[in-house]
Amino acid sequence: MSGPIQDDVFAAGEGDRWYERNRDALGHDDWPLRLIERNALHPESVLEIGCANGWRLAAIAESGAPRLVGVDVSSAAISAGVSQTLDLSVGRADRLPIEEEFFDLVIVNYVFHWIDRSTILAAISETDRCVAPDGYLIVGDFLPDRPTKVPYHHLPDDSVFTFKTDYAAAFTALSTYEVIDREIYNHDDPSAEPTSENRGVCTLLRKTLSGLYR
Ligand SMILES: C[S@@+](CC[C@H](N)C(=O)[O-])C[C@H]1O[C@@H](n2cnc3c(N)ncnc32)[C@H](O)[C@@H]1O
């Protein structure tokens, strides 16, 4: 194998640059928060993987959840952390800086598509490890017609890609999660019909370790 994997590229600075480019737009038109509200979830503990500056956790804090933990590869985003009540730390999704702890709700929104294909299963396993046995998981990402690899235009010389596919399916494939709610939308223009290029999906899943087996 040659060169760094793309998780190292994002950890080495592209995560920070993404944050600088996008920090003023964070929180616009948010489907994870809507699914939490629509399904009347009141988690006591929430982990967000790829939380940026914790803006979404801060919004959840307003409903009174006492334990709010966020992890992001960008040290710029984490050090800009929007609230002192959040437990934010720098770390990677495939090796979360979290000891043995379960959360009532774990959120991973538009993060899996950035992760190197050599570490994506580890990131999915780490996510699963942190969801409580009857807990909830929200996965948001792009949903093209078929798995799609797109050159990451901010780093045209670095062989970095975004990998778009149905990540919720990784959790339902073994029948250890069931889909509770799902919203499909146009990522670029919420008022327009989605196409393969711009379709986004936000899925609320519930973990159920053997309940779906007959
Ligand atoms: C497209 S942004 C989404 C931010 C946030 N989840 C949201 O919905 O507003 C992707 C985020 O994931 C972080 N990220 C990318 N790769 C990561 C990794 N391997 N581990 C942890 N965080 C990562 C980035 O720094 C960035 O904050």
Side-chain angles (χ1 to χ4, degrees):
M1 192 175 144
S2 63
I5 63 167
Q6 69 178 52
D7 299 353
D8 297 330
V9 174
F10 283 110
E14 187 52 28
D16 289 350
R17 285 189 288 278
W18 182 90
Y19 176 66
E20 300 300 340
R21 285 193 302 270
N22 291 282
R23 64 181 167 191
D24 295 334
L26 293 173
H28 177 66
D29 201 28
D30 192 53
W31 273 108
L33 290 179
R34 286 188 196 153
L35 288 195
I36 290 169
E37 190 179 349
R38 188 156 93 186
N39 292 275
L41 301 189
H42 298 287
E44 294 272 303
S45 57
V46 182
L47 166 66
E48 181 164 10
I49 301 167
C51 64
N53 62 1
W55 66 269
R56 184 178 290 110
L57 289 168
I60 295 170
E62 290 170 17
S63 67
R67 176 105 176 104
L68 296 155
V69 178
V71 175
D72 199 286
V73 81
S74 164
S75 52
I78 291 297
S79 56
V82 292
S83 163
Q84 299 302 319
T85 62
L86 308 178
D87 179 353
L88 302 180
S89 53
V90 177
R92 260 174 53 176
D94 60 306
R95 42 183 196 227
L96 291 172
I98 290 173
E99 298 292 320
E100 294 170 27
E101 184 174 358
F102 291 144
F103 294 82
D104 293 341
L105 172 64
V106 175
I107 301 170
V108 195
N109 196 58
Y110 285 93
V111 180
F112 284 140
H113 71 263
W114 268 15
I115 292 179
D116 198 275
R117 294 304 89 173
S118 68
T119 53
I120 188 64
L121 271 180
I124 284 169
S125 173
E126 283 287 85
T127 302
D128 173 56
R129 173 173 73 83
C130 292
V131 182
D134 293 311
Y136 291 94
L137 169 64
I138 291 178
V139 179
D141 223 301
F142 295 100
L143 184 66
D145 291 343
R146 61 191 63 79
T148 305
K149 175 182 170 183
V150 181
Y152 184 72
H153 65 282
H154 292 292
L155 295 172
D157 301 329
D158 284 297
S159 294
V160 173
F161 299 91
T162 54
F163 298 92
K164 303 180 180 183
T165 191
D166 182 5
Y167 290 102
F171 295 91
T172 57
L174 294 175
S175 297
T176 49
Y177 286 82
E178 62 182 327
V179 174
I180 302 294
D181 196 359
R182 192 166 101 125
E183 189 70 33
I184 290 175
Y185 57 92
N186 183 320
H187 175 268
D188 300 333
D189 177 0
S191 65
E193 277 299 304
T195 65
S196 184
E197 283 69 37
N198 58 36
R199 188 183 301 116
V201 61
C202 190
T203 308
L204 171 65
L205 302 135
R206 181 154 203 184
K207 189 168 180 175
T208 169
L209 287 180
S210 62
L212 300 176
Y213 283 79
R214 298 286 175 258

